[in-house]
Amino acid sequence: MAVYRVYVTTGPYLMAGTLDNISITLVGTCGESRKQLLDHMGRDFAPGTVQKYKVRCSEELGELLLLRLHKERYAFFPKDSWYCSRICVTAPDGTDSHFPCYQWIEGYCTTELRPGTAKTICQDTLPLLLDHRKCELQARQQCYRWKIYSPGFPRMVDVSSFEEMESDKKYALTRMTPCAEQGESSGNQYLPGFPMKVDIPSLLHMEPNIRYSATKTTSLLFNAIPASLGMKLRGLLDRKGSWKKLDDIRNIFWCHKTFTSEYVTEHWCEDQFFGYQYLNGVNPVMLHCLCSLPSKLPITSDMVAPLLGPDTCLQTELERGNIFLADYWILADAPVHCLNDRQQYVAAPLCLLWLNPQGALMPLAIQLSQTPGPESPIFLPTDCYWDWLLAKTWVRNAEFLVHENNTHFLCTHLLCEAFAMATLRQLPLCHPIYKLLLPHTRYTLQVNTIARATLLNPEGLVDKVTSIGREGLLYLMSTGLAHFTYTNFCLPDSLRARGVLAIPNYHYRDDGLKIWAAIQSFVLEIMGYYYPSDASVQQDSELQAWVGEIFAQAFLGRESSGFPSRLCTPGELVKFLTAIIFNCSAQHAAVNSGQHDFGAWMPNAPSSMRKPPPQTKGTTTLKSYLDTLPEVNVTCNNLLLFWLVSQEPKDQRPLGTYPDVHFTEEAPRQSIATFQSCLAQISKDIRERNKSLALPYAYLDPPLIENSVSI
């Protein structure tokens, strides 16, 4: 008689326990055990508990290959969910086998788990295990289906596949039963107290292993309700018309001020702060160094001579690499929208900046269109105060549109959703890349579904607060994806291509490169353990299917993007994985976390403009400036969104935090510890530097970076 000791850990989450019967079957190289009920006196699987059981077999089973968990009805109790964290099995000879689970198991079903040792398909030779990989992926692909949201968009998850997800018929992560086909659902409608329509059906059904936890959901609601209710009670969400004076904007979020938001309020109109935001604001990716001026921006040396001073000239500064351009060409053909039944306007400005001898980035000139001419004057800091301030505000509006739609939502949210989908569909749980990437996909499908149901849907918040509306959003994102390249995606390559490696006080660049290097070293160590040669990469059919699906579904098979459709060397694999993890974590933090800080003072990030760009100088006044800015209700709806997305709800997991032990081997566990130590040192360095800064830059401080796109 052989006795196996089984230790079952239930997750510590709300309602993680189960009253259902749980049975187990052990499968080894020499046979399998009989199905045995795991049952003690009293409740067995309470949240946060570890239960010990014995499984008796007539003889030893050899090396354990699979563990089957059978979840079945207990008496008259209704079926419920169970969060199984992990199972450890101790063989008669004292050998431990760890079976990571870390998933919700719903209804009545059989779930198969493999030991925690990561293996590529090339390392599996037994037909049983090869068939297990195949069946797992087939079932997962039927559950997680791609859907086209709009032409030219990265593909997204089809939430209709979850709509009638009965647990004894559907597949979660390791269950071997495929899901049924579901039809489209509709129900875009207003809810009481909400200023926009909400696509309700898409929010009602979410596969349990990708939806928000109860803690995160509750935290999100507690962030949203008080702020929204406060504005509603003061009548701000319904008040149309212009702001009477600029100072009134200070009172929108009187109880939600931060050090940075107050700094922005005090310094927003200063040229030096205007330039600073290109380096360390929420969209620090726009600048390109110039060696010559583009023909569409006919600035002469005489125009800027008073700004440059007597010791230099425009041509000299171009040759020194001190002239930079922010070009908003993508807005030139963007459709416009109506807000409060009033036509809105969009500009496609060109903003020229100069790195002065003091190391400050200063605006030199602004042209508010892509076509020079008498009706498109070039605005200069030497113009009258209101003309120059209005020109800068038009640039800040363009910044808002490009940042929110492309830098933020397209390049982090939507692309990271595609990475998550491909990982779920093409890599089994035992694959080392699945284990590496899973923490960096946490909640991404859920938050994007929420965004599509409340922001991107017809008559959603985008239609209520932006000058381009939903139609313009679709245009910007499809155009942005068509021009997005692998160079843009990889931080070191992007910085080099834009010529911004030598700009001083570029904290986003400095902190980002440190985090990139830490991630790269971490990925290199782990992947080196599983992929020792070019052949090991080339022969991994699951890996190649994964990267091929990303190329096809995220980048629509566009060869000119430079994204790989196949990986041939460990070096190519390491770079691709480093870029994915960086963009799912650090890049999203850099472009998301400061939205309230830099946008709470609305003139610094207006979501719409109510008058057309000025075609002559000398016509702007305080009144015409206020009449150009968004109306009161539009401002407040937008600032409410800024507040919510800048407050990461509870149930956070900072970069490098991996409480779920998917890797059970010693080598990757040591690599994780080294990675965490490296991030801790980066955090220490950032906090030390910030002590000497007038405006600290903390968005890339590792403890403040979420592992994944989750808000």
Side-chain angles (χ1 to χ4, degrees), residues 527-540 543 567-571 573:
M527 289 299 103
Y529 184 68
Y530 299 103
Y531 294 97
S533 65
D534 292 356
S536 61
V537 173
Q538 296 166 10
Q539 294 170 8
D540 186 345
L543 163 63
L567 297 171
C568 297
T569 68
L573 174 61

Side-chain angles (χ1 to χ4, degrees), residues 51 97 139 154 161 181 189 244 269 317 324 334 375 517 581:
Q51 299 290 333
S97 296
S161 62
E181 294 291 324
Q189 57 189 277
K244 301 303 181 186
C269 57
E317 293 303 306
F324 299 86
E375 296 183 347
I581 294 174

Side-chain angles (χ1 to χ4, degrees), residues 132-149:
H132 180 269
R133 299 178 85 108
K134 180 180 178 181
C135 292
E136 179 183 339
L137 291 180
Q138 286 177 342
R140 196 112 50 86
Q141 288 164 11
Q142 290 179 353
C143 178
Y144 297 100
R145 301 197 300 264
W146 292 105
K147 180 179 180 179
I148 298 175
Y149 183 75

